[in-house]
Amino acid sequence: MSAESKKAHNFIESLIEDAIAKGEHAGKVVTRFPPEPNGYLHIGHAKSICLNFGIAEAFGGECNLRFDDTNPEKENQEYIDAIKQDVEWLGYEWAGEVHYASDYFNQLYGFAEELVQNGKAYVCALSADEMAEYRGTLKESGRNSPYRDRPVDENLQLLRDMRDGKYQNGELVLRAKIDMASPNINMRDPILYRIRYADHHQTGDKWCIYPMYDFTHPISDALEGITHSLCTLEFEDHRPLYDWVLENTSVPCQPRQIEFARLNLNYTITSKRKLKRLVDEGHVESWNDPRMPTISGMRRRGYTPESLKMFCDMIGVNKAGGTVDVGMLEHAIREDLNSRAPRAMCVMRPLKVTLTNYPEGETETLTLPVHPQNPDMGQREVTWSRTLYIDREDFVEEPPRKWKRLAPDQAVRLRGGYVMTCREIVRDDSGEIVELKCEYDPATLGVNPEGYKPNGVIHWVSADDSVDVGINLYDRLFNEENPDGDKEADFIEHINPESLVVLEGARAEKNLASPRSDLPYQFEREGYFFYDAEQSEAQGKPVLNRTVTLRDSWGKGK
Ligand code: ATP
Ligand code: MG
C-alpha cells in the first residue's frame, strides 16, 4: 500500500501489511470473492466485494471470482450470470477465468480419499437424527459414532461405493475423524461429503456425492493460491476446521482465514433466502425490483457504483458488527449525484397556468445550465409559452406564514424563466381548481422585478413542449427498523405499503423525450430519478424511478 494513501487502514490491511513485512506469502496478495449462486447479490455482498477486490488493488495483488457451488438444488445459471454482471458493474475485474468450486470436484474427492487412507476420515451410517444426538451440546461433549473405527479399507470401499451411486440420499456420509469431545462443535467429526442425487449446473449428473462447504472452501482457496480468505464472523468458529483440513491434506499452500463483521442495514433484509421469498411470493416484481437491496435492484433504482463504494468506505471493516443506518447509504448516493447528476424539471401533479398577457401561438427558447455548479456539463433548452404547468402543491389559496410558493395575487419566479403573479383561480363544477390565470412580467428574465419581490422559485414545464412521463416513487421496502427482529410477526408483514407509488400524468421538460441512461437526473425540488429502460419499453413512454429524495424526509409527515 502506497505511503501517500490517505485512507485509514482497516484491521485486515494492517494484518496483511505486517505479514508482508515479515516476508510471508512471497510478497503477493491473492484474495477471492466466493458467492454461492443461489440468489442475486445484495448490498452486504457489495461490502465483501469492495473489501476483497479493494485489498487486492491496494497491495498490487489479484482477486478471484469463485462460485461456491456445492448445493446443486439451490443454484442455477441465472444467478451466475447476474453475479458476474454485478461484480463487473461495480467496476472490478477478477483475475483470469471465473472459478467454480465444482472445477475441483475431482481434486476434492482425491483429498477425501487421502484423509481416509491416513485414518482421518470415515464413512458413517448414522441417520441425521442419530448424528444430532451423538453430537452432544455446547455443555456436553459428543459420543463417538459406532462406525468411527471402521478399518481404512472398508472406509475406502464405502466411499467409492457412495461415489459410484450404490447408496441412496442420506444413507451414508463421510466424516472427518477429529474429536467428539471438542468444545467447538464444528470439530466433532464434521461431515465432509454427503449423497445428493441432483443435476449440477456445471457438472451435470457426473456426481452423486457433494463436498460440504467446510471441506470445499479451504481446499479451493489453497488450490487457487489464495493468501487471505476473508469471510464474515459466523465462520470464526469454523476456522479451526478450515486449518485442520489444510493441515491434514497435501494441499499446495496454507491460506489464512480472517473474519470481519457482516453488514446489517436497518429497514433492510440482507439474506438471499429471504429476498428470494419476496420474489417468489410476489411481494416485489423481481430480483431487480428497484426496492430490492440487491445490487441489480439498486442499479435500476439509480444507485451508482461510485456511491456504493463510497458507502463501503464510510462503514469501514471491523469485527464489531452492529447495524448501519440506511440513511448512510442514501447519504452516499445524494453526495455522488448532487455533484454530477444533470438537472431537469418535471411536474409531478400538473396544474395548468395560462399567462394571460403572453401572446397566443408564440413561444421562446430559454437556456438553462445542465448543472448549476458545473458549466462543463453544458446547457439545455426549454420552451416558454402561454400555457404552462406547475405542481399543484406549489399553489394554495390561503398561504400559511412564510409560504415560499404561489398564492392568489402573489408572485413567484419560474426557474430559469420569468416572474409571474396569480390573478384568477378557475374551478370545475365540483369546485376543484383546474387552472390559474397569471400575468407574467416581461422585464424579469434573469433580473429582479422592480418594486415587488417574488415569493420564491418554483419549477414548471411548458404545456405543448413537455413530455408525458411515468414516475415510480420508490421508498423504503420495510417500515420497521428491524423487519426481521419481530418474534411475533413474519418480516413480510413489515413491508411498507407505500414503498411504490405510481404517478400518472407527470410532465417533464422536452429533453426527457430521450432520457439519458448513464446517470439519474436531479428533478429540481423533487429528487433524483433514473430512466428505466425495461418499463419505458413496456409503457411506450419514458418511465423514471425515484432513486432518492433530495433530503432525508423519512418518517416526516407520515
Ligand atoms: P446470504 O445469507 O445472503 O445467503 P451468504 O453469506 O450465504 O449470504 P454467499 O454467497 O455465501 O452468501 O456470500 C459470498 C461472500 O459474501 C461471503 O464471503 C460472505 O461472507 C459475504 N457476505 C454475504 N453477506 C454479507 C454481508 N451482509 N456483509 C458482508 N459480507 C457478506
Ligand atoms: Mg452462503
Side-chain angles (χ1 to χ4, degrees):
M1 179 161 286
S2 62
E4 65 270 20
S5 153
K6 279 197 223 79
K7 228 174 76 190
H9 283 198
N10 62 50
F11 79 98
I12 298 179
E13 288 168 331
S14 304
L15 283 176
I16 296 179
E17 220 165 35
D18 291 349
I20 286 181
K22 282 192 234 144
E24 288 171 32
H25 318 300
K28 189 166 186 202
V29 173
V30 186
T31 56
R32 85 289 169 265
F33 172 63
E36 182 179 359
N38 62 349
Y40 282 55
L41 298 182
H42 52 63
I43 181 72
H45 294 108
K47 173 175 177 175
S48 177
I49 293 171
C50 290
L51 176 63
N52 279 292
F53 283 91
I55 284 201
E57 262 171 25
F59 290 92
E62 291 183 337
C63 181
N64 291 352
L65 173 62
R66 182 200 315 142
F67 287 102
D68 177 12
D69 55 347
T70 54
N71 288 309
E73 293 106 324
K74 291 185 178 158
E75 302 163 358
N76 68 48
Q77 190 62 39
E78 176 195 345
Y79 298 144
I80 292 176
D81 295 339
I83 290 170
K84 289 201 281 198
Q85 193 190 1
D86 288 347
V87 174
E88 281 177 333
W89 176 76
L90 280 173
Y92 293 113
E93 228 176 280
W94 52 84
E97 298 286 303
V98 171
H99 298 271
Y100 296 85
S102 55
D103 292 343
Y104 313 127
F105 279 172
N106 281 327
Q107 283 147 295
L108 285 158
Y109 179 78
F111 287 119
E113 284 208 354
E114 184 185 35
L115 285 175
V116 168
Q117 250 142 1
N118 293 332
K120 289 174 177 163
Y122 61 97
V123 172
C124 184
L126 289 179
S127 68
D129 287 346
E130 288 167 328
M131 213 174 296
E133 196 204 314
Y134 273 76
R135 191 175 296 121
T137 62
L138 282 174
K139 289 194 192 112
E140 267 174 72
S141 71
R143 282 180 293 140
N144 284 352
S145 159
Y147 306 101
R148 200 171 197 264
D149 295 317
R150 269 192 218 278
V152 167
D153 287 351
E154 206 178 306
N155 279 321
L156 201 54
Q157 191 55 52
L158 285 170
L159 177 59
R160 289 178 181 169
D161 289 345
M162 278 168 67
R163 176 199 60 190
D164 295 340
K166 299 195 181 150
Y167 291 91
Q168 292 309 305
N169 282 346
E171 267 190 280
L172 296 175
V173 292
L174 180 72
R175 297 175 72 178
K177 197 189 235 183
I178 308 180
D179 179 7
M180 289 305 292
S182 171
N184 183 341
I185 291 184
N186 295 303
M187 300 297 272
R188 295 184 187 170
D189 292 7
I191 297 176
L192 304 180
Y193 263 94
R194 73 248 195 263
I195 300 172
R196 276 278 181 292
Y197 287 87
D199 249 24
H200 189 285
H201 47 96
Q202 302 300 313
T203 57
D205 61 1
K206 173 155 187 235
W207 295 90
C208 64
I209 56 171
Y210 289 96
M212 301 297 286
Y213 175 89
D214 281 331
F215 181 63
T216 310
H217 209 79
I219 292 177
S220 305
D221 282 346
L223 293 174
E224 290 177 15
I226 302 300
T227 56
H228 298 87
S229 182
L230 314 180
C231 62
T232 37
L233 274 182
E234 66 270 24
F235 291 102
E236 196 166 28
D237 289 345
H238 296 240
R239 186 174 358 122
L241 179 52
Y242 182 94
D243 290 337
W244 184 92
V245 171
L246 295 176
E247 278 157 22
N248 289 283
T249 52
S250 56
V251 291
C253 64
Q254 303 277 317
R256 172 170 178 194
Q257 174 178 308
I258 305 173
E259 308 85 16
F260 64 95
R262 290 180 91 78
L263 166 65
N264 298 308
L265 264 187
N266 62 8
Y267 298 101
T268 310
I269 293 279
T270 47
S271 148
K272 279 182 281 183
R273 191 171 52 79
K274 290 182 182 138
L275 295 177
K276 186 167 189 304
R277 257 192 76 195
L278 290 171
V279 179
D280 290 347
E281 296 175 10
H283 302 292
V284 295
E285 185 195 298
S286 55
W287 279 99
N288 71 346
D289 185 301
R291 289 167 293 180
M292 288 282 269
T294 52
I295 295 180
S296 52
M298 296 173 75
R299 174 164 68 234
R300 239 179 109 188
R301 175 104 168 228
Y303 274 80
T304 58
E306 290 81 359
S307 65
L308 296 187
K309 288 182 189 171
M310 189 195 303
F311 171 69
C312 290
D313 273 351
M314 279 160 60
I315 60 175
V317 175
N318 59 47
K319 274 192 179 274
T323 299
V324 172
D325 187 344
V326 70
M328 273 174 82
L329 181 62
E330 294 164 353
H331 172 76
I333 185 65
R334 284 191 190 103
E335 278 284 300
D336 185 33
L337 293 181
N338 183 42
S339 64
R340 60 194 186 113
R343 273 37 175 185
M345 291 193 284
C346 177
V347 175
M348 300 287 159
R349 306 150 207 89
L351 172 60
K352 183 176 168 186
V353 168
T354 303
L355 300 177
T356 50
N357 59 338
Y358 194 83
E360 232 158 309
E362 241 175 70
T363 61
E364 68 192 86
T365 297
L366 305 176
T367 306
L368 279 76
V370 173
H371 189 293
Q373 281 89 45
N374 190 350
D376 290 348
M377 288 176 72
Q379 309 254 300
R380 63 190 218 266
E381 292 182 343
V382 297
T383 309
W384 183 264
S385 59
R386 184 178 159 92
T387 315
L388 310 175
Y389 290 119
I390 64 166
D391 199 295
R392 280 188 178 274
E393 294 190 355
D394 283 338
F395 175 79
V396 286
E397 284 186 85
E398 288 164 35
R401 269 168 50 99
K402 297 195 182 160
W403 176 247
K404 283 287 176 214
R405 299 176 250 172
L406 192 62
D409 293 315
Q410 297 201 3
V412 288
R413 177 176 293 283
L414 300 185
R415 167 76 78 204
Y418 298 85
V419 173
M420 70 174 191
T421 303
C422 177
R423 295 298 181 204
E424 190 188 333
I425 299 171
V426 182
R427 297 171 197 275
D428 65 10
D429 295 343
S430 68
E432 201 192 335
I433 300 173
V434 290
E435 184 185 345
L436 302 176
K437 295 201 187 240
C438 300
E439 249 171 66
Y440 90 112
D441 184 340
T444 55
L445 186 63
V447 287
N448 288 330
E450 296 234 0
Y452 66 99
K453 218 171 157 266
N455 235 349
V457 184
I458 65 173
H459 61 283
W460 58 281
V461 295
S462 133
D464 293 333
D465 217 1
S466 56
V467 287
D468 181 21
V469 294
I471 294 286
N472 295 321
L473 297 177
Y474 289 112
D475 208 335
R476 295 178 182 174
L477 182 54
F478 295 99
N479 51 20
E480 266 295 316
E481 220 178 307
N482 183 2
D484 208 15
D486 189 337
K487 294 249 167 8
E488 312 288 299
D490 191 25
F491 72 96
I492 298 288
E493 290 175 38
H494 297 304
I495 291 178
N496 175 8
E498 286 163 37
S499 60
L500 169 58
V501 174
V502 177
L503 287 187
E504 292 299 337
R507 296 199 71 88
E509 65 180 58
K510 62 179 177 179
N511 303 301
L512 265 289
S514 44
R516 303 168 53 142
S517 54
D518 57 340
L519 270 180
Y521 288 88
Q522 185 192 97
F523 284 160
E524 303 228 10
R525 301 177 61 232
E526 291 288 355
Y528 295 97
F529 289 79
F530 191 47
Y531 175 63
D532 190 311
E534 243 174 84
Q535 296 189 61
S536 300
E537 169 119 7
Q539 296 186 31
K541 65 178 181 192
V543 175
L544 292 105
N545 298 330
R546 182 167 72 193
T547 314
V548 68
T549 52
L550 287 180
R551 274 171 291 279
D552 183 7
S553 58
W554 176 255
K556 299 198 181 107
K558 291 203 179 199

